[in-house]
Amino acid sequence: MELPLLSLIVFTPAAGAAVLLFLRNDDAVRWTALAVTVLDLTLCIAMLTGFDTTTHEMQFTETHPWVPALGITYSLGIDGISALFVFLTALLGWICVLASWVAVDRKVKEFLVSLLVMQALMLGVFCALDLFLFYVFWEAMLIPMYLIIGVWGGDGRVYAAFKFFLYTLAGSLMFLIGVIVLYFHGGETFDIRALMAQDLPFQVQSWLFFAFLIAFAVKVPMVPVHTWLPDAHVQAPTAGSIILAGVLLKMGAYGFLRFSLPMLPEASVHYSTLMLALSALAIVYGGLLALAQDDLKKLVAYSSISHMGLVTLGIFTLNLRGLEGGILQMFNHGITTGALFLFVGLIYERTHTRSIADYGGLMKAAPVYTTFLALFALSSMALPGTNSFVGELLVLSGAFAANLAVGGAAVLGALLGAAYLLGMYRKVALGPASVGVRFNIRDVNAREMAAILPLAVFVLWVGLYPKPFLEIIDASVKHLLAQVHGKGSAQ
């Protein structure tokens, strides 16, 4: 009997959460959670090792009847697109445990149970091949994230948690309506692969496109439904911000890739100009907002809006370079922005302030910290040799091929990124010394380095040798473009 690898990957964190419920000592809870997340990452590495990069077909598939009367199945499988994000989710999982080791000092068990359940649900989203199963995972994710913000967040955590929940719930309800319409117009099946093969009328595609757009735009988030994100990030604990920026924001972009493009190809092409315009707006608007921030966490949060605009821009160029760049940039954003939120959390633990004006001369007080902060800031601004450069170059190439105006907007966004990131680093690390007077700063310790180093490795690995990552997604992207354009091969 073949090992159900995807089920093991999805439910290992959930099983670990169940084990934590029986533990009483906080240290035992932390070490068990770390062991579970490392085991899950090991399973994901085994999955990638056995992954066939030459085919677009779903791999490691599992299908079992669930609700036969409605044609609902427990069906899992991954292609090159989802494989990359399954790995990213597992990678950030154990880093989140390390990041919360000291930062979360009350209700430790409950926090780590929420974190592990969250990880299981996110993995389920990327692996689900049944639309109903996908929706269950998609909707259930709101609960642990709501708790992480609302229970372990800052002073304004209740407001931020409610705002997050209401925005994302509204998007989810639109998605549910779209799922029901798709079920009845798509042959009364929830099988995602079968729905991709349906040829829906353009009017139905258009209606579904905008229903899905609302649902996915909230998750990305796209302007103007972005206002929940800064509040959620500022109030969330460090691990919550890492998982929110690193994985949760990818759910919206993944929805476009898994549903809008392959199932609604005519509508996707027809409304691509609108999507490019909204993406360009997010890139520039997010960059301008980040430029105006004095709060370190808000700066990174608004930069996420700009960078995720670059992702949706790449997706809706509907050409090979743009689409591959957008997907790679989703992965890069998870690594780089997750790292930046980790660094904000590390310095906040030491100073209990996020005001950029309060930090000065940090290079002298914490040279290792500021060296790695420089690496991730340079990655976020897409310096050659870092991961984001490869993704951004592909997106820009695809954007200029699709529309000169939005390509120009993307370049402006990149310039804004350099402005706010270099300005932040100059004030924090190189400015007049003040941290030695106000705070007793220590440099990073071994536990913190264990969380930092893997992220730094991927910044340089993807930046200097992106071939393995592009090979994983290449066959699936070409097939996706063939579905969109209705041709046998991607252009």
Side-chain angles (χ1 to χ4, degrees):
M1 183 178 177
E2 189 174 345
L3 187 70
L5 185 58
L6 292 186
S7 287
L8 289 174
I9 289 172
V10 171
F11 290 106
T12 291
V19 172
L20 294 189
L21 294 174
F22 296 96
L23 302 179
R24 297 182 179 227
N25 182 275
D26 285 349
D27 284 338
V29 168
R30 292 186 180 103
W31 282 106
T32 303
L34 182 62
V36 168
T37 50
V38 170
L39 173 60
D40 207 38
L41 177 62
T42 304
L43 291 170
C44 287
I45 293 171
M47 175 268 293
L48 285 181
T49 303
F51 188 81
D52 184 0
T53 60
T54 63
T55 178
H56 67 269
E57 298 290 344
M58 294 292 175
Q59 302 179 45
F60 305 104
T61 53
E62 306 170 31
T63 303
H64 306 285
W66 186 13
V67 187
L70 296 176
I72 299 173
T73 60
Y74 170 80
S75 183
L76 303 180
I78 56 167
D79 61 0
I81 297 170
S82 48
L84 206 57
F85 301 115
V86 169
F87 174 75
L88 176 65
T89 305
L91 174 67
L92 293 179
W94 70 281
I95 291 173
C96 286
V97 175
L98 289 176
S100 60
W101 206 271
V102 173
V104 176
D105 56 3
R106 61 186 179 84
K107 298 183 179 179
V108 175
K109 180 199 299 186
E110 291 83 353
F111 175 82
L112 290 173
V113 166
S114 299
L115 196 65
L116 290 177
V117 171
M118 181 80 181
Q119 181 169 331
L121 295 170
M122 292 187 300
L123 289 166
V125 166
F126 292 125
C127 294
L129 289 183
D130 181 274
L131 190 52
F132 184 85
L133 180 65
F134 179 95
Y135 182 78
V136 170
F137 284 130
W138 170 280
E139 188 72 4
M141 282 190 306
L142 301 182
I143 300 170
M145 194 68 225
Y146 171 79
L147 293 174
I148 287 170
I149 298 171
V151 177
W152 292 275
D155 293 337
R157 60 185 180 273
V158 175
Y159 169 78
F162 269 105
K163 192 172 183 180
F164 160 78
F165 195 84
L166 289 175
Y167 267 74
T168 49
L169 180 63
S172 296
L173 290 175
M174 287 304 299
F175 185 53
L176 176 61
I177 295 170
V179 167
I180 294 169
V181 172
L182 191 59
Y183 173 79
F184 286 108
H185 282 85
E188 297 191 2
T189 179
F190 287 106
D191 188 319
I192 289 176
R193 287 171 291 184
L195 290 169
M196 288 178 181
Q198 296 294 323
D199 186 13
L200 300 174
F202 178 73
Q203 292 82 359
V204 176
Q205 287 193 33
S206 294
W207 194 95
L208 286 170
F209 184 87
F210 283 101
F212 288 166
L213 172 59
I214 294 170
F216 302 149
V218 171
K219 279 282 204 296
V220 169
M222 299 177 74
V223 177
V225 288
H226 66 286
T227 59
W228 64 268
L229 182 66
D231 291 319
H233 270 311
V234 167
Q235 298 302 326
T238 299
S241 288
I242 293 172
I243 211 69
L244 180 60
V247 183
L248 201 68
L249 301 192
K250 311 302 175 291
M251 298 297 176
Y254 181 75
F256 288 128
L257 294 166
R258 185 59 79 218
F259 300 105
S260 299
L261 266 60
M263 296 182 187
L264 317 170
E266 291 180 61
S268 295
V269 172
H270 185 78
Y271 297 112
S272 60
T273 303
L274 169 65
M275 298 303 298
L276 292 175
L278 289 173
S279 300
L281 174 63
I283 292 169
V284 176
Y285 184 64
L288 289 171
L289 288 173
L291 194 60
Q293 300 307 311
D294 179 58
D295 184 301
L296 200 54
K297 210 171 189 184
K298 279 189 177 180
L299 185 148
V300 181
Y302 281 115
S303 77
S304 280
I305 296 170
S306 182
H307 289 138
M308 288 305 295
L310 202 67
V311 167
T312 53
L313 177 66
I315 290 172
F316 282 95
T317 60
L318 302 181
N319 58 49
L320 184 61
R321 285 169 295 178
L323 194 51
E324 287 198 343
I327 294 169
L328 185 61
Q329 203 63 358
M330 287 168 67
F331 180 82
N332 293 335
H333 180 267
I335 296 293
T336 300
T337 306
L340 288 174
F341 276 118
L342 172 63
F343 273 71
V344 173
L346 294 180
I347 200 65
Y348 182 77
E349 288 174 25
R350 291 156 168 77
T351 63
H352 298 289
T353 177
R354 290 189 301 266
S355 175
I356 295 174
D358 288 339
Y359 303 121
L362 200 57
M363 176 68 82
K364 294 180 180 179
V368 176
Y369 174 93
T370 48
T371 299
F372 279 99
L373 177 61
L375 173 66
F376 294 115
L378 292 172
S379 166
S380 188
M381 69 178 76
L383 188 79
T386 64
N387 56 343
S388 299
F389 173 75
V390 182
E392 198 162 305
L393 181 65
L394 287 169
V395 170
L396 288 174
S397 176
F400 277 110
N403 188 299
L404 288 175
V406 296
V411 171
L412 177 58
L415 293 174
L416 289 170
Y420 61 72
L421 287 162
L422 288 175
M424 176 274 292
Y425 190 79
R426 178 181 63 80
K427 293 174 184 176
V428 168
L430 307 174
S434 64
V435 291
V437 177
R438 300 186 188 190
F439 312 109
N440 182 20
I441 300 285
R442 60 171 176 79
D443 215 336
V444 293
N445 58 32
R447 171 185 58 81
E448 292 163 343
M449 280 300 295
I452 294 167
L453 281 176
L455 299 173
V457 166
F458 279 99
V459 165
L460 297 174
W461 185 0
V462 179
L464 299 173
Y465 188 59
K467 182 182 176 182
F469 301 90
L470 291 171
E471 282 182 342
I472 290 173
I473 65 176
D474 186 60
S476 296
V477 170
K478 287 178 177 175
H479 177 67
L480 178 57
L481 283 173
Q483 289 176 296
V484 172
H485 295 297
K487 298 177 182 178
S489 60
Q491 292 182 337

